């Protein structure tokens, strides 16, 4: 067990397992059917055609929704992902299904070559993975899955087995990825942050020489409109960054691309709060984790808060400066329980102001500044609204006392998810579906909002209605 988890008296009290409604709503039934269609027996694919393997942060969000359908499947979802962890602690962003043809997705296992190129970093030999990571929402997901059925979780030893892996994951990020030296984690590839072609990456990506177009074939264009996807130039730079990282044996260090991102670090902080709860549940002290979360929150404010923008910005580590682009990533720290109140109030004004338009020109929060020169309502993370970021912002609004705005956003998410057939993302003005439909985390987070049980509080990760607090 992690050294920060010191032994403490086991908590007393009682938790009540999630009790599904006797008559599920039509939207519940449809959302559950999406997750059933994506279930492989051990995990859930985000999209059978477009994303036919297991993705890291997708699985975390999917588990959060699956807990309302089957807590056992939700636990299995996370356990399958954690079983592919490297010995250096990293959780890879893709776990490949060997039964899927190599040409179904690019970059495929023969590009990443994890078991050989990643040998020194401790890549597993029994499964092929990518070598990069994704945002660390996993401990938060594990805690919420536990709360869905604490009896089952304890009987299976779910948290006891997950905790050491989650602690090692956080150790890897904090010790190996503090490339800026200021206490925050850096991403070394846009795919790690999850918002692949955000305009926030344009400046640092401009330093990267793209791989020749003839050196790769984009399988994503077989399943989506080119107008909705990253450009070939962007993709060439992604391939170059990934191949260079692979050829270094996945060794971490300063490179052409290193960015401190608000969402990545905010989710690490939220998961540190969750690890504190998990440690307490296991009979250990959670206060060291809480202290670390508060230190990380202070570092986030110090390094990434920009008062003139009214939000957090990304920091280009190599250039040593903030990137002057307003992306939804800079709003997500609203979900942090110890964020200073004045900053939280400013973020609320920004999300409802002209740059993001929530409650005015938009029903869901767009992925990029409505007034930005690079805004595009259909192209991936350059403007469309995504359901996972809106779920996080709904939680953040509710946490900081904005109940009316949170209720309106929840209603907007549910309506848009159903009307778009659980689209991957949507036009922020018209709610037109973009990308894939029947998308995994859209369906999963719809289920979570339908049940309306989590209520964020300022003193911890979540409080659950009907639960005696641990």
């Amino acid at each position: 067990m992690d050294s920060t988890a010191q032994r403490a008296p086991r908590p007393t009290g009682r938790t009540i397992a999630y009790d599904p409604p006797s008559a599920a709503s039509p939207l519940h039934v449809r959302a559950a059917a999406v997750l059933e269609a994506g279930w492989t027996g051990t995990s859930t694919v985000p999209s059978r055609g477009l994303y036919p393997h297991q993705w890291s942060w997708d699985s975390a969000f999917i588990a959060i929704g699956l807990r309302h359908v089957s807590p056992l499947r939700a636990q299995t979802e996370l356990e399958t992902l954690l079983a592919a962890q490297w010995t250096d602690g990293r959780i890879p962003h893709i776990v490949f299904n060997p039964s899927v043809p190599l040409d179904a997705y690019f970059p495929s296992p023969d590009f990443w070559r994890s078991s050989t190129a990643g040998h020194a970093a401790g890549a597993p030999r029994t499964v092929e993975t990518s070598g990069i990571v994704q945002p660390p929402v996993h401990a938060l997901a594990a805690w919420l899955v536990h709360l869905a059925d604490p009896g089952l979780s304890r009987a299976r030893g779910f948290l006891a087995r997950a905790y050491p892996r989650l602690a090692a994951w956080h150790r890897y990020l904090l010790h190996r990825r503090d490339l800026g030296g200021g206490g925050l984690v850096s991403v070394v590839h846009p795919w790690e942050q999850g918002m692949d072609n955000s305009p926030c990456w344009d400046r640092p990506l401009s330093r990267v020489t793209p791989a020749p177009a003839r050196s790769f074939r984009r399988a994503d264009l077989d399943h989506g409109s080119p107008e909705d996807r990253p450009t070939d130039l962007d993709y060439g730079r992604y391939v170059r960054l990934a191949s260079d990282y692979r050829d270094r044996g996945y060794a971490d260090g300063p490179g052409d691309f290193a960015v401190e991102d608000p969402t990545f670090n905010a989710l690490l902080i939220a998961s540190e709060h969750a690890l504190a709860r998990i440690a307490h549940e296991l009979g250990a002290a959670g206060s060291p984790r809480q202290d670390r979360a508060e230190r990380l929150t202070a570092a986030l404010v110090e390094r990434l808060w920009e008062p003139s923008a009214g939000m957090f910005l990304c920091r280009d580590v190599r250039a040593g400066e903030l990137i002057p682009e307003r992306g939804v990533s800079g709003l997500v720290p609203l979900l942090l329980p110890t964020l200073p109140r004045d900053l939280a109030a400013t973020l609320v004004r920004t999300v409802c102001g002209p740059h993001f338009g929530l409650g005015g020109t938009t029903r869901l929060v767009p992925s990029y500044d409505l007034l930005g020169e690079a805004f595009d309502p259909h192209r991936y993370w350059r403007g469309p609204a995504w359901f996972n970021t809106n779920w996080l912002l709904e939680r953040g609004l509710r946490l900081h006392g904005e109940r009316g705005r949170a209720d309106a956003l929840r209603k907007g998410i549910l309506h848009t998810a159903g009307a778009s057939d659980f689209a991957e993302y949507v036009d922020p003005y018209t709610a037109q579906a973009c990308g894939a439909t029947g998308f995994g985390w859209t369906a999963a987070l719809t289920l979570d909002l339908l049940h309306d049980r989590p209520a964020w509080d300022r003193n911890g990760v979540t409080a659950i209605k009907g639960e005696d607090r641990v």
Side-chain angles (χ1 to χ4, degrees):
M1 185 170 288
D2 185 62
S3 61
T4 60
Q6 304 166 16
R7 298 301 296 176
R10 181 177 177 80
T12 59
R14 176 177 60 89
T15 55
I16 300 174
Y18 172 70
D19 183 19
S22 56
S25 71
L27 190 57
H28 170 108
V29 172
R30 290 172 56 204
V34 169
L35 298 185
E36 183 64 31
W39 179 246
T40 67
T42 55
S43 64
T44 309
V45 298
S47 166
R48 283 287 182 184
L50 188 56
Y51 303 109
H53 301 285
Q54 183 179 27
W55 260 258
S56 173
W57 76 327
D58 290 74
S59 275
F61 287 122
I62 286 168
I64 289 169
L66 264 181
R67 68 195 177 113
H68 300 297
V69 176
S70 169
L72 177 58
R73 265 175 55 186
Q75 292 176 30
T76 302
E77 182 83 36
L78 294 174
E79 289 166 345
T80 300
L81 179 67
L82 291 173
Q85 185 174 27
W86 294 26
T87 58
D88 67 0
R90 81 182 76 193
I91 296 175
H93 100 293
I94 303 174
V95 181
F96 289 105
N97 183 342
S99 67
V100 174
L102 287 179
D103 63 358
Y105 181 80
F106 179 84
S108 51
D110 57 342
F111 172 89
W112 295 102
R113 302 199 293 270
S114 63
S115 58
T116 54
H119 175 70
R125 292 190 171 275
T126 57
V127 63
E128 292 294 324
T129 76
S130 65
I132 59 176
V133 302
Q134 278 192 320
V137 67
H138 310 89
L140 174 59
W143 178 244
L144 294 177
V145 166
H146 164 78
L147 291 177
D149 192 335
L152 175 68
S153 174
R154 290 167 183 152
R156 296 186 67 248
F158 169 63
L159 291 181
R161 287 181 288 110
Y163 183 86
R165 290 183 177 272
L166 294 169
W169 167 222
H170 286 206
R171 261 197 316 275
Y172 164 78
L173 293 172
L174 292 165
H175 294 171
R176 301 283 294 277
R177 288 298 192 89
D178 181 10
L179 303 181
L184 296 183
V185 173
S186 292
V187 296
V188 299
H189 195 292
W191 288 339
E192 291 198 314
Q193 195 271 354
M195 303 178 189
D196 303 15
N197 69 329
S198 168
C200 299
W201 314 139
D202 289 355
R203 182 176 295 189
L205 273 179
S206 68
R207 295 191 293 262
V208 179
T209 301
R214 65 182 181 276
S215 66
F216 59 91
R217 177 188 174 275
R218 294 181 58 180
D220 63 317
L221 298 182
D222 295 339
H223 305 280
S225 168
E227 290 74 24
D228 293 352
R229 310 294 300 170
T231 65
D232 286 344
L233 178 60
D234 286 335
Y235 226 85
R237 286 173 168 148
Y238 304 155
V239 172
R240 174 72 69 186
L241 279 173
S243 61
D244 286 353
Y245 190 41
R246 176 200 64 203
D247 294 344
R248 296 198 305 270
Y250 298 110
D252 293 309
D256 288 335
F257 186 96
V259 174
E260 293 173 356
D261 171 74
T263 285
F264 197 101
N265 282 280
L267 290 176
L268 175 62
I269 295 166
S271 280
E272 278 290 317
H273 284 296
L275 276 183
R277 293 292 185 92
I278 292 171
H280 195 58
E281 161 67 22
L282 295 174
S287 56
R289 292 280 177 194
Q290 294 283 14
D291 293 343
R292 179 179 292 168
E294 291 178 13
R295 290 195 302 272
L296 287 168
T297 301
L300 184 73
V301 171
E302 179 182 353
R303 291 184 65 79
L304 303 187
W305 178 254
E306 177 49 61
S308 65
M311 61 187 298
F312 293 89
L313 300 179
C314 298
R315 176 176 291 275
D316 183 339
V317 172
R318 180 168 172 177
E321 60 188 16
L322 294 177
I323 299 169
E325 298 284 358
R326 292 178 171 90
V328 70
S329 176
L331 304 173
V332 169
L334 188 63
L335 64 83
L336 299 179
T338 61
L339 190 69
R341 292 184 183 274
D342 59 330
L343 269 62
T346 300
L347 284 175
V348 172
R349 289 194 296 271
T350 299
V351 78
C352 298
H355 293 285
F356 294 93
L358 182 64
T361 56
T362 64
R363 194 169 192 176
L364 301 185
V365 181
S367 53
Y368 177 65
D369 183 359
L370 297 170
L371 305 180
E373 292 184 8
F375 175 78
D376 184 330
H378 286 183
R379 195 177 290 279
Y380 219 43
W381 288 95
R382 301 181 81 84
W386 287 73
F387 291 89
N388 64 330
T389 52
N390 276 272
W391 180 86
L392 291 167
L393 289 171
E394 193 272 349
R395 304 289 87 175
L397 288 167
R398 201 170 297 282
L399 165 66
H400 290 284
E402 296 288 341
R403 181 174 178 178
R405 289 189 170 100
D407 287 345
L409 181 53
R410 173 184 177 274
K411 183 177 179 180
I413 294 170
L414 292 175
H415 173 81
T416 306
S420 69
D421 194 20
F422 305 103
E424 185 179 2
Y425 47 100
V426 298
D427 182 309
Y429 291 124
T430 68
Q432 175 187 340
C434 302
T437 54
F439 197 70
W441 74 29
T442 304
L445 299 176
T446 295
L447 285 170
D448 195 60
L449 290 177
L450 273 174
H451 292 287
D452 199 28
R453 296 179 69 85
W456 294 74
D457 63 64
R458 290 191 64 86
N459 298 313
V461 180
T462 56
I464 304 297
K465 295 176 183 176
E467 173 190 280
D468 291 335
R469 294 292 300 279
V470 174

